[in-house]
Amino acid sequence: METSAVGGTIVTPVRNRRKFPTTALTWVAVTPFAAWAVARVAGLERGSLPTQLMTATPYAAAGSLVPLLIAAVGRRRAAAVVALLSATALGFSVLPRALGTAEATTGRPFKVMTINMLFGRADVATIMKLVREFGPDVLNTQELTPGAVADLDAAGLKEIMPYRVLQDEWSAGGSGIYSRHPVEALWDLMPPVGHQMPAATIALPGGAPIEFIDAHPFPPLGPQVGDWNTALAAFPSASPDRIRIIAGDFNASLDHAAMRGLLSRGYKDAADQVGAGLIPTWPANKRVPPLITIDHVLVDQRVGVREVSVRDVPGTDHRAVLAELTVP
């Protein structure tokens, strides 16, 4: 404050400096992401709700940069260290799926297409267009109804893929494997847990047979989370005696400990191998875009992966997964 030459007093207002978030508020921002990182890395999700939330880990990884910025700008060193460790752990859990690790492999080309048909409502014309354009050796279906079987055959699938092992039902429980090559059903390979999950040996001309499983565990909703865990644990481990492929709607992402446990028994996720592991497959054809990746093609370590793509199919809440593989 000073006196003016012409009389009066000039008052200089004191400017309030912008205050950064307090230490407590910074920790409020950091702690949820730190807890998420620990749960993801250690596989600590338990019960239905935490299991469902774990599918959002890619979004949590992106969001973890926000508390890191808050802690860094606010010069809260301890919180910044925790935020940095959390963001790093989540990033290393997620980013490899977008980068890919597959190497060029030789072998016989083998194509797989898998689609959840949503109570048989998936658009048959679109499925047949994909079958004709992509030329899969195996078409893998979940929520396959008797009506869908009839519609697919009437549209020409019976001539293109005459071999099949079907367990269709008028419910979400039906499934079926269609093949261009002769198949032999393996009725006792999967225990009766979850939806129908048929398995078959596919005889390739001039090559070793492929063992194929159509995956569709119950979703981890409410008390079904126990059956979901049981089903994922029930898939057979990879075997040196045969080439095995497991494809379908797993109702699980690579952020689930149960899914990673299955992969650790000798499998790899085809999309993950070629940098397509973050492409979401559910929910499709809704007002919101697809958010999570729960449809997969798992192959044993001897199978090469050339390309994986995801296609929209009207009438169903899942996107189709198309995988170009090579088998010994």
Side-chain angles (χ1 to χ4, degrees):
M1 184 171 62
E2 57 185 274
T3 302
S4 170
V6 295
T9 302
I10 299 174
V11 178
T12 303
V14 177
R15 295 183 179 181
N16 292 325
R17 294 183 179 181
R18 181 179 296 178
K19 295 182 179 180
F20 291 111
T22 65
T23 300
L25 289 177
T26 301
W27 280 109
V28 167
V30 170
T31 301
F33 292 94
W36 198 308
V38 170
R40 166 59 178 82
V41 172
L44 299 180
E45 71 267 17
R46 297 291 185 274
S48 177
L49 183 58
T51 298
Q52 294 174 61
L53 289 175
M54 194 54 63
T55 59
T57 295
Y59 303 101
S64 67
L65 298 176
V66 174
L68 175 59
L69 180 62
I70 292 174
V73 171
R75 298 181 181 181
R76 312 296 179 181
R77 293 183 179 180
V81 170
V82 174
L84 178 61
L85 291 174
S86 303
T88 301
L90 290 171
F92 274 108
S93 299
V94 170
L95 285 178
R97 284 173 247 171
L99 302 176
T101 59
E103 298 179 356
T105 57
T106 59
R108 184 196 189 284
F110 188 78
K111 295 182 178 181
V112 174
M113 174 178 166
T114 182
I115 177 69
N116 181 314
M117 298 187 69
L118 186 61
F119 298 96
R121 299 171 189 162
D123 185 66
V124 169
T126 302
I127 292 174
M128 291 306 302
K129 181 181 179 182
L130 291 174
V131 167
R132 292 188 173 97
E133 292 178 353
F134 181 62
D137 293 275
V138 175
L139 170 63
N140 200 37
T141 60
Q142 302 87 51
E143 300 198 25
L144 179 70
T145 63
V149 172
D151 291 343
L152 287 168
D153 281 345
L157 188 61
K158 191 171 185 178
E159 288 72 34
I160 299 174
M161 311 186 85
Y163 307 101
R164 63 271 310 267
V165 177
L166 306 182
Q167 291 181 285
D168 47 304
E169 295 182 357
W170 289 108
S171 68
S175 299
I177 300 170
Y178 292 87
S179 172
R180 292 179 182 270
H181 314 290
V183 299
E184 180 181 351
L186 300 171
W187 298 116
D188 298 327
L189 186 60
M190 287 299 298
V193 57
H195 299 296
Q196 299 288 358
M197 292 190 279
T201 298
I202 301 172
L204 300 182
I210 303 293
E211 196 169 277
F212 198 94
I213 302 175
D214 187 349
H216 194 199
F218 289 139
L221 302 175
Q224 289 183 328
V225 68
D227 292 328
W228 175 82
N229 275 295
T230 300
L232 289 172
F235 286 111
S237 301
S239 169
D241 301 329
R242 69 209 63 169
I243 301 295
R244 182 180 292 120
I245 297 172
I246 310 174
D249 172 13
F250 288 78
N251 280 308
S253 79
L254 300 189
D255 292 303
H256 286 123
M259 188 67 166
R260 298 197 302 277
L262 172 57
L263 289 169
S264 71
R265 292 189 275 122
Y267 297 102
K268 56 189 178 182
D269 181 87
D272 181 37
Q273 294 293 297
V274 293
L278 291 178
I279 300 176
T281 63
W282 184 92
N285 301 308
K286 303 290 185 181
R287 291 184 178 179
V288 296
L291 296 172
I292 59 178
T293 308
I294 57 176
D295 301 88
H296 307 272
V297 176
L298 306 188
V299 300
D300 84 18
Q301 299 295 333
R302 293 163 292 180
V303 175
V305 184
R306 291 181 172 176
E307 185 178 355
V308 175
S309 59
V310 174
R311 306 292 180 85
D312 292 323
V313 177
T316 176
D317 58 349
H318 287 255
R319 304 170 86 185
V321 178
L322 285 63
E324 296 186 38
L325 314 172
T326 57
V327 296

